[in-house]
Amino acid sequence: MAAVYKALSADSSHEREPGSKNKQRVLILSSRGVTSRHRHLLSDLYSLLPHSRKEAKFDSKAKLFQLNELAELYNCNNILFFEARKGQDLYLWMSKAPNGPTVKMHLQNLHTMEELNFIGNCLKGSRPILSFDAAFEKQAHLRVMKELFTQIFGVPKTARKTKPFVDHVMGFTVADGKIWIRVYQINESEQSKKKTATVNGEEMDVDPAPKKKGKTEFNVSLVEIGPRFVLTPIVIQESSFGGPIIYENKEFVSPNQIRSDLRRAKAGRYNRRTEAGQDAKARRGELGLKTHGGRKREKDPLSDNVLFA
């Protein structure tokens, strides 16, 4: 892990000017009506982002611009707001306070750390490596989202709770118009010093050639940690929780509309079956063929239709 940290520290030191500091703080909060799974997701993100601040639930869903004042109060310049609707739909607002932009996304396929039970683990407060798909550079709205992801999930080196380790990777992949987010642990293991060789049909351990001091080779692998979720972009606003819409996803269909279409389809099938039965009864009545089982149905003399006719 030390080799990875030194390499990243050297790259960051060359990119930034001397004396400059990457001051990023993230405010994480949710609306009323979130479920237990949503709360676990907030806790997982809070543990992965040592430069974040977790706040109580925000009551109003109509006056989201008030979140800018809340971020200014806690000295935060990034906002992650989780809006729950109808106890089952979750929307993520990602904003750069106070001037914007703001991205609204639909969060689905959510799996928290407790649900996954992966064997991977990372140090709390460590810094991640952000891995972006090449598709983020092909479209303008994806480049805007990449910059927001970089400033929100990229833990600054000078954060107060940050540990001097880089031991996990956050992957952002674009597929089917959605953004798939995964978190992996960087697992390093030393290569075996002894090698096997076949001599006269028998396997024997052979010592490798001596290496220079201070150089040790490691086998690097990735082990998934969690959480994992999928984001579908909806709109991008120019300012923070307001302003003109600079991007809109025309292909997005709200889950509420999908449920409404399913209910309407089921109701349509029931109505068609009911109308078909009524038409069949009307045709049989017009022809005087009120039969049952191929035989003419005789009226029961004790039925209500006969007694109270």
Side-chain angles (χ1 to χ4, degrees), residues 275-290:
E275 292 176 359
Q278 291 177 355
D279 293 342
K281 288 182 180 179
R283 287 194 299 271
R284 287 197 300 268
E286 292 175 358
L287 299 174
L289 300 175
K290 294 184 178 180

Side-chain angles (χ1 to χ4, degrees), residues 7-249:
L8 292 175
S9 300
D11 294 340
S12 61
S13 62
H14 289 302
E15 291 177 359
R16 294 173 187 165
E17 298 179 358
S20 62
K21 291 184 178 181
N22 183 16
K23 296 182 180 179
Q24 301 290 339
R25 292 198 65 188
V26 184
L27 179 65
I28 302 177
L29 72 166
S30 66
S31 65
R32 297 286 178 183
V34 292
T35 62
S36 59
R37 297 182 66 202
H38 301 163
R39 290 194 298 269
H40 288 163
L41 174 63
L42 264 70
S43 300
D44 294 343
L45 292 178
Y46 179 68
S47 62
L48 289 174
L49 303 177
H51 63 305
S52 63
R53 178 186 177 89
K54 195 175 180 181
E55 186 54 31
K57 297 177 182 177
F58 188 69
D59 292 327
S60 177
K61 293 183 181 180
K63 301 179 181 179
L64 295 181
F65 59 88
Q66 295 178 355
L67 291 172
N68 295 321
E69 300 178 2
L70 194 61
E72 184 180 1
L73 179 65
Y74 292 116
N75 195 22
C76 297
N77 54 357
N78 300 286
I79 301 175
L80 284 179
F81 177 65
F82 295 86
E83 181 184 357
R85 294 183 182 177
K86 297 190 175 181
Q88 51 186 341
D89 301 331
L90 185 64
Y91 294 88
L92 172 61
W93 293 79
M94 191 170 57
S95 175
K96 183 70 178 179
N99 298 323
T102 302
V103 181
K104 180 183 180 182
M105 295 171 286
H106 179 224
L107 193 150
Q108 54 189 345
N109 296 341
L110 167 63
H111 299 281
T112 61
M113 290 184 180
E114 291 187 358
E115 295 175 350
L116 297 173
N117 291 325
F118 283 135
I119 60 174
N121 192 11
C122 67
L123 180 67
K124 185 175 182 180
S126 60
R127 299 173 62 201
I129 297 175
L130 302 183
S131 175
F132 290 95
D133 190 4
F136 276 94
E137 298 295 335
K138 296 181 180 180
Q139 296 179 353
H141 70 281
L142 291 177
R143 289 196 294 270
V144 173
M145 296 177 64
K146 177 183 177 181
E147 184 63 27
L148 283 175
F149 283 132
T150 303
Q151 298 191 19
I152 291 177
F153 292 98
V155 180
K157 188 177 180 180
T158 56
R160 184 169 58 91
K161 298 180 181 179
T162 302
K163 302 295 190 302
F165 297 99
V166 178
D167 61 352
H168 62 283
V169 178
M170 294 192 69
F172 301 86
T173 308
V174 178
D176 298 331
K178 307 177 187 298
I179 300 174
W180 305 68
I181 298 179
R182 300 289 186 268
V183 184
Y184 302 92
Q185 175 200 359
I186 303 175
N187 190 13
E188 291 184 354
S189 59
E190 292 187 12
Q191 294 182 356
S192 60
K193 297 182 179 179
K194 293 184 178 180
K195 297 182 180 180
T196 59
T198 304
V199 179
N200 296 329
E202 297 182 358
E203 293 186 355
M204 301 179 60
D205 294 335
V206 179
D207 293 334
K211 299 179 181 179
K212 296 181 180 180
K213 294 182 179 180
K215 290 186 178 181
T216 306
E217 294 184 358
F218 293 94
N219 291 327
V220 180
S221 60
L222 297 179
V223 182
E224 189 168 359
I225 304 172
R228 54 162 63 172
F229 50 92
V230 180
L231 299 174
T232 305
I234 303 176
V235 294
I236 299 180
Q237 294 178 308
E238 185 176 359
S239 59
S240 181
F241 297 103
I245 295 176
I246 59 178
Y247 169 77
E248 183 177 2
N249 187 2

